[in-house]
Amino acid sequence: LLNHVPLAYLTGRQSFHGLALQVTPDVLVPRADTETLVDWALSLDLAQARVVDLGTGSGAIAVAVAAAWRVTEFVTPVPSPNRLVVVAAIASATRIIHTATAWGDPERAQAVNVAAVKTLLQLTDPEQLEQVIYFSTASILDRQLQLLPEAEAYGTEYIQTKAQCLEQLENHPLAERIVAVFPTLVFGGKVDGSGRFPTSYLTSGLRDGARWLWLAKWLRTDASFHFIHAADIARVCAHLATTPQRPNPEAGQGKVRRLVLGQPAVTVNQTVRSLVGWRRGWMPPVGLDLSEWLIEGLIKLLRIEVNAWDRFSIRQRHFVHEPVSPPERFGLVSHAPTLEAVFEDAGLRRRGRIG
């Protein structure tokens, strides 16, 4: 940035018309205002046309139009072998791991979480493609790994679009080649932000969790969840990506294989007890039960803003799934199979002030 190098050249990525393009210094960075040319082209009837893109640069226009219209033939004379790299890479790919996601902005979430996934699959070559590992979220599934009706009804734009995409994938011609992975609550990185890997939101929250232990240890609630360490997600995905793809072996599922990545469920009370023990504190034998009516009362008293999904989560309480898939399910060994292993890996101090 100090040398006036465009950010897209540093990251190797640029968003264009709902697509995530790979770019290099060999081509100009696709500009947002050029998307208007794509919109104009899409207003024409090009579905059966043979289109020629003269003077093509990155190939972004051709890719966007071809992806939307699925034209019979799109000719782009390119002198540089590095141009249109994204199209060549996708078309020649035998295995794809899709991790891109968006939240916060409904339009962007729809474009990235639904439309872009459809476009990606359109650009693949069925004769070449063997497997797609698609990342979703366990929040959209019920206990039996079926789509949770409330996900589309009450979910945030992130939850809703992930649910829509799963429905889309189940009906896709390439469904049997898709493995959808649904991480549960993800730990990763160090509490203080040091180390080689980024700190997940959950690991970052351990700092505040430890600070509020003096209060939390006096509370009890009937709730449970799964967790998974980022290193264990990587181990499972590496195994899947290097194992021959076959029809979905999971009972009671459709063509898309669904794998919820997580360790065996733990309760919230167990989690507090483990954190107190890790910090070498004292855990009282009794506590105040956080019933649903009490939680609702606190929300009103403290004027906490909650949406429909928040209220559903309060009623649901137990976000557990059967089966759940830790690394051991694939003959591997977990990096962090227990909460104590998570605390140690995160560098959470056992005594003294945190942060």
Side-chain angles (χ1 to χ4, degrees), residues 75-306:
V75 181
T76 54
V78 288
S80 171
N82 290 325
R83 295 175 182 177
L84 288 177
V85 63
V86 66
V87 177
I90 294 175
S92 63
T94 57
R95 294 181 181 243
I96 295 174
I97 300 178
H98 183 279
T99 61
T101 193
W103 60 87
D105 178 5
E107 290 187 8
R108 178 166 174 76
Q110 184 70 30
V112 175
N113 299 345
V114 181
V117 178
K118 182 178 180 180
T119 299
L120 172 70
L121 294 178
Q122 288 175 335
L123 294 175
T124 61
D125 181 357
E127 298 297 323
Q128 296 286 336
L129 187 67
E130 298 175 9
Q131 178 193 70
V132 175
I133 298 176
Y134 165 75
F135 272 74
S136 186
T137 171
S139 298
I140 68 172
L141 300 180
D142 64 13
R143 182 184 289 267
Q144 287 75 38
L145 276 58
Q146 300 303 308
L147 188 60
L148 195 65
E150 291 83 357
E152 286 193 89
Y154 310 129
T156 63
E157 75 286 334
Y158 170 69
I159 297 294
Q160 289 181 337
T161 53
K162 284 296 186 180
Q164 292 169 22
C165 188
L166 180 61
E167 289 183 312
Q168 174 180 289
L169 294 179
E170 284 288 1
N171 297 306
H172 197 278
L174 298 174
E176 289 188 346
R177 307 183 201 184
I178 299 173
V179 180
V181 294
F182 303 85
T184 49
L185 298 180
V186 179
F187 287 101
K190 300 295 183 182
V191 171
D192 61 4
S194 64
R196 296 173 52 200
F197 305 105
T199 302
S200 73
Y201 289 115
L202 200 57
T203 294
S204 179
L206 288 175
R207 186 194 303 263
D208 289 334
R211 288 172 178 166
W212 285 94
L213 270 182
W214 64 272
L215 174 61
K217 67 183 182 180
W218 290 100
L219 304 175
R220 304 290 185 269
T221 185
D222 181 25
S224 54
F225 61 94
H226 301 280
F227 69 88
I228 187 79
H229 194 280
D232 290 323
I233 295 176
R235 291 182 182 188
V236 171
C237 288
H239 169 78
L240 294 172
T242 54
T243 301
Q245 176 70 4
R246 55 195 178 99
N248 188 2
E250 308 292 338
Q253 297 185 11
K255 294 181 179 180
V256 174
R257 186 180 188 185
R258 303 181 184 186
L259 297 174
V260 172
L261 304 185
Q263 299 294 341
V266 295
T267 68
V268 171
N269 294 338
Q270 287 174 329
T271 302
V272 173
R273 190 176 296 110
S274 294
L275 194 52
V276 169
W278 182 261
R279 293 284 291 163
R280 296 176 180 171
W282 172 75
M283 185 73 183
V286 295
L288 176 64
D289 180 38
L290 281 177
S291 60
E292 186 174 334
W293 67 266
L294 180 56
I295 294 175
E296 288 291 340
L298 290 174
I299 290 174
K300 293 179 180 179
L301 178 64
L302 300 177
R303 298 182 179 180
I304 300 173
E305 291 187 11
V306 295

Side-chain angles (χ1 to χ4, degrees), residues 16-17 32-47 51-54 61-62 64-65 68-69 74:
F16 183 81
H17 212 269
D33 53 4
T34 307
E35 295 180 350
T36 58
L37 180 58
V38 176
D39 293 331
W40 169 80
L42 294 180
S43 69
L44 306 176
D45 183 11
L46 303 178
V51 182
V52 179
D53 181 16
L54 296 175
I61 297 174
V65 174
W69 277 101
F74 210 118

